[in-house]
Amino acid sequence: MPEFIEYQKREYFKKMYIDKFKNKGRLIKYILLGECAPSTGNYIYNDGLGSYITAPLNAVGFNTNKDKLDRIEMLNEAGFLLLDLYPFALNYNKVRKKLSEDICFQQKVHSHIIKEISSYGSILAKNWDFCFVAPESTSAGVLEYLRKHQNGELMNNKTIYHQLDLPTGHKDFTDKANNVYKNYVDYNGKMLPKLARLAVRRGSTGPSPDLIKSVFYL
């Protein structure tokens, strides 16, 4: 587990980013639910690097060939907020599936997210929307928990379902090695998530700009 000072630094930069909405009269329109801040300390609200900032910016057509402060400013201007499901950067590779199936753990994660989103009050757009950009097993696990135990809702009137969902009528995606991915479908030769709010492609290390674009109708 990282030192607590690293957590405090991360929360400081996140607070500065959220304060931009308040100070500049902007609204949070799109919430991206990731897994955790990286252990490297390369947090997007500090360094402005990586697909967790470039993917949403590309989704709205912004030029990401800018310095870090410009990218962070553009992300805020566009109304994006990245929130972490888990508080610390650990090695989740061996435990993602176990955590995604632990109902007690998922209840705590869900409660944390509800409280955090609710705390934004007046800077949260009335028609705000959300998607999951954590690694596939984490995102799919939380989505499955919400489907089974929360009537398919993240919060009141915020359903995990979407008009672009492809849950039936298409085969599970199978790669060239005959590995079957149950959270994705083969749609005209393309691998797409069954639930549109799963905005990350299988095997990728970050969110997909195309999937973010489609889920938010950008």
Side-chain angles (χ1 to χ4, degrees):
M1 183 177 293
E3 294 183 9
F4 185 64
I5 186 65
E6 296 302 318
Y7 175 79
Q8 288 179 309
K9 288 179 182 178
R10 187 195 81 183
E11 290 300 296
Y12 170 75
F13 287 115
K14 184 170 123 183
K15 182 181 183 302
M16 287 182 62
Y17 180 81
I18 292 169
D19 284 346
K20 282 178 178 286
F21 288 106
K22 301 174 183 177
N23 298 336
K24 299 196 175 186
R26 296 170 178 168
L27 294 175
I28 298 168
K29 301 175 184 177
Y30 314 111
I31 294 179
L32 310 175
L33 297 170
E35 184 172 73
C36 63
S39 59
T40 59
N42 296 331
Y43 192 42
I44 69 165
Y45 298 137
N46 177 28
D47 67 8
L49 295 173
S51 60
Y52 284 90
I53 193 167
T54 58
L57 289 178
N58 286 330
V60 294
F62 281 18
N63 178 9
T64 58
N65 189 24
K66 304 282 186 178
D67 65 30
K68 71 174 187 178
L69 294 179
D70 284 338
R71 283 194 293 269
I72 294 170
E73 177 66 19
M74 289 189 297
L75 191 73
N76 190 272
E77 180 184 344
F80 284 102
L81 177 66
L82 173 67
L83 298 180
D84 296 312
L85 295 166
Y86 302 163
F88 294 106
L90 305 176
N91 183 357
Y92 290 107
N93 291 333
K94 295 182 179 181
V95 296
R96 279 196 180 103
K97 188 173 187 298
K98 182 177 180 180
L99 291 177
S100 71
E101 295 173 349
D102 187 317
I103 295 176
C104 182
F105 178 77
Q106 289 299 328
Q107 284 175 332
K108 292 178 180 178
V109 169
H110 184 220
S111 177
H112 160 71
I113 289 297
I114 288 176
K115 288 179 181 178
E116 177 152 8
I117 294 175
S118 298
S119 72
Y120 296 128
S122 62
I123 62 171
L124 192 63
K126 289 184 179 179
N127 60 341
W128 65 272
D129 208 348
F130 69 98
C131 68
F132 287 80
V133 295
E136 180 257 341
S137 53
T138 292
S139 293
V142 177
L143 284 163
E144 183 68 2
Y145 165 79
L146 295 176
R147 185 185 72 80
K148 287 184 175 180
H149 303 285
Q150 299 297 333
N151 298 315
E153 287 189 332
L154 177 70
M155 298 171 68
N156 287 340
N157 301 316
K158 295 296 179 182
T159 178
I160 63 172
Y161 303 112
H162 192 280
Q163 287 185 333
L164 297 180
D165 288 349
L166 297 168
T168 59
H170 300 282
K171 294 181 179 180
D172 290 346
F173 187 83
T174 305
D175 65 16
K176 294 180 181 179
N178 290 320
N179 297 308
V180 178
Y181 304 111
K182 67 184 182 70
N183 296 311
Y184 299 88
V185 299
D186 191 331
Y187 185 73
N188 295 330
K190 293 176 61 178
M191 184 179 78
L192 290 176
K194 292 182 179 180
L195 293 178
R197 296 194 189 280
L198 178 60
V200 59
R201 298 190 188 279
R202 174 75 192 192
S204 72
T205 56
S208 160
D210 292 339
L211 296 179
I212 291 175
K213 184 175 182 177
S214 63
V215 76
F216 293 142
Y217 302 108
L218 299 171

